Amino acid sequence: MSDTRVDLLKELTEAPGISGYEEDIREIIRRHLRDVTTIEQDHLGSIVCRKDGECDTPRIMLAGHMDEVGFIVKYITDDGFIKFSTLGGWWGHVMLAQRVMIKTRKGDVPGLIGSKPPHVLSDEERKKVQEPKDMYIDIGATSAEEVRQLDIRPGDPIIPVCPFTALGNGKTYLAKAFDDRVGCALFIEVIRKLISEKHPNTVYGVGTVQEEVGLRGARTSSWIVEPDIGLTMEVSVAGDVPDVKREDAQGKLGKGPVIVIRDGTMIPNLRLRDLFIDTAEEMKIPYQFAVMEKGGTDSGAIHLHRHGVPNLVIGVPTRHIHSHAGIIHRDDFDNTVNLVTAVIKKLDSKTVAALTV
């Protein structure tokens, strides 16, 4: 029997969609929600899917960014190597020897990220993290002319390669782009659950663009939604790996949704935070906390819309984010869907008004 949530995560993560090039992800979301929501699109490319409830307001915005970290072609050397520019935050150590796919007008071109071989590095060079500016993509060409024949051009998107794979006991999944296709899958699944359940509000599932380069789509799409509540569906750094201190990353795989109590761009509405905690405890859903002192999320833009929007970030703990592959636990995903759905059913006009008095 097919597992529709696994199928959805596989479809979303394997599709290409770096910052500014999210159209494939947008069309997947459109296909899954067009029969149950009213869909709009802003001029940057964010998709807004409205699920009507019992009342027009309050408006609940569920934001998941469609873009993944990746690269674009910067220029082509005379010897046929591709120099690239990063989109989103990358650390050099996780990039080398990884497979990528360059998407051109004529089709996909596979390649490998390389740099100066270790055999010819000086002792001083060996101590340093390789920087992206010193790397290149090798597509097996021997001249710039060979590259031109493949129609590779500056600005072409370059996507990490990592097929979706179920691991271990079948409850942990390995894939690229969990940041933030997990968020997109979350709002799709929440909306699906709400088809058969009453909710005293209107819910907007929003796939935002260009989060990894400045929370841009969250700004423009907020003008379409005009949200009364913003809930950002995200990943959270899982700290259950060697040499990570618990106070630096508290989340663990299989231990429940992560409630973010601060990120680098937002402090959440504390009453909304408490509503999530109380609901989780009522439903006996395990939950965790996280503080992300560096970096930000779409909530950083949404909570500043007009005169302010009560906001909270809910994350699925994920290992190895901002690399070619990450790992999540299915129980965390399912529990996040259940928790967000339960809270939405409580967000009537009276409850939302009480969040800011």
Side-chain angles (χ1 to χ4, degrees):
M1 180 182 293
S2 175
D3 184 328
T4 57
R5 286 188 177 173
V6 169
D7 293 343
L8 177 62
L9 287 167
K10 176 179 172 64
E11 183 180 19
L12 284 168
T13 56
E14 290 188 344
I18 63 170
S19 304
Y21 301 79
E22 300 95 344
E23 56 269 23
D24 287 3
I25 313 306
R26 183 171 59 243
E27 293 315 304
I28 291 171
I29 294 170
R30 188 190 307 276
R31 187 172 68 253
H32 281 280
L33 293 181
R34 63 189 174 195
D35 293 335
V36 295
T37 65
T38 302
I39 294 178
E40 297 181 71
Q41 184 175 317
D42 72 20
H43 292 170
L44 283 189
S46 296
I47 185 170
V48 179
C49 308
R50 188 185 80 234
K51 166 65 177 68
D52 294 324
E54 296 178 299
C55 301
D56 290 339
T57 59
R59 300 182 183 93
I60 315 301
M61 181 174 180
L62 308 181
H65 67 87
M66 297 185 289
D67 56 321
E68 62 188 289
V69 292
F71 320 96
I72 58 172
V73 175
K74 186 175 181 179
Y75 72 93
I76 299 159
T77 72
D78 291 342
D79 294 329
F81 295 98
I82 311 297
K83 299 294 284 187
F84 57 85
S85 177
T86 58
L87 289 179
W90 284 94
W91 188 47
H93 273 180
V94 303
M95 293 171 58
L96 286 175
Q98 298 291 343
R99 292 185 62 182
V100 295
M101 191 69 70
I102 303 172
K103 301 194 72 65
T104 78
R105 296 183 306 168
K106 290 184 177 179
D108 295 346
V109 179
L112 183 76
I113 297 178
S115 70
K116 192 174 179 181
H119 308 78
V120 296
L121 292 175
S122 67
D123 289 341
E124 190 61 32
E125 287 173 323
R126 286 173 178 270
K127 298 176 184 178
K128 297 179 180 178
V129 175
Q130 290 288 321
E131 295 185 25
K133 67 180 180 61
D134 299 320
M135 300 178 191
Y136 53 82
I137 293 173
D138 187 348
I139 63 168
T142 58
S143 68
E145 180 58 30
E146 285 186 45
V147 178
R148 282 192 288 270
Q149 289 174 1
L150 293 169
D151 204 31
I152 294 174
R153 299 180 173 197
D156 283 348
I158 305 167
I159 316 298
V161 173
C162 181
F164 181 93
T165 307
L167 301 174
N169 63 7
K171 282 203 166 185
T172 50
Y173 306 142
L174 168 73
K176 73 172 183 66
F178 278 135
D179 183 7
D180 185 31
R181 306 294 158 66
V182 158
C184 298
L186 285 172
F187 74 68
I188 290 172
E189 289 299 310
V190 169
I191 288 173
R192 282 174 169 167
K193 281 181 69 70
L194 291 173
I195 293 170
S196 58
E197 300 185 34
K198 294 181 179 180
H199 53 104
N201 44 48
T202 299
V203 174
Y204 293 79
V206 183
T208 64
V209 298
Q210 300 187 44
E211 188 267 2
E212 297 289 2
V213 292
L215 319 183
R216 297 170 186 173
R219 289 184 176 87
T220 53
S221 59
S222 291
W223 286 97
I224 293 179
V225 178
E226 297 289 3
D228 299 297
I229 294 290
L231 299 175
T232 296
M233 309 285 96
E234 261 287 2
V235 296
S236 180
V237 176
D240 56 347
V241 296
D243 301 322
V244 174
K245 295 179 181 179
R246 184 72 187 275
E247 61 265 32
D248 292 333
Q250 301 174 43
K252 295 183 177 182
L253 263 60
K255 300 301 182 180
V258 173
I259 298 171
V260 179
I261 57 176
R262 177 203 166 181
D263 71 27
T265 60
M266 187 205 64
I267 300 169
N269 179 285
L270 297 186
R271 292 175 182 173
L272 184 58
R273 176 206 64 185
D274 290 346
L275 180 60
F276 267 84
I277 293 171
D278 293 344
T279 303
E281 292 179 350
E282 289 168 12
M283 299 181 66
K284 294 182 170 46
I285 293 174
Y287 62 91
Q288 309 177 77
F289 294 112
V291 174
M292 187 171 65
E293 293 173 328
K294 297 178 181 179
T297 67
D298 275 341
S299 276
I302 297 166
H303 85 293
L304 296 177
H305 183 68
R306 288 190 181 269
H307 30 258
V309 179
N311 243 266
L312 190 70
V313 180
I314 304 297
V316 172
T318 307
R319 293 175 181 166
H320 319 302
I321 65 171
H322 280 230
S323 70
H324 276 67
I327 296 175
I328 67 168
H329 196 290
R330 172 62 179 270
D331 289 350
D332 298 326
F333 182 87
D334 290 347
N335 278 323
T336 304
V337 171
N338 293 337
L339 178 57
V340 172
T341 303
V343 170
I344 286 173
K345 292 166 66 176
K346 294 182 176 182
L347 290 173
D348 56 20
S349 294
K350 181 179 179 180
T351 301
V352 170
L355 296 177
T356 52
V357 295

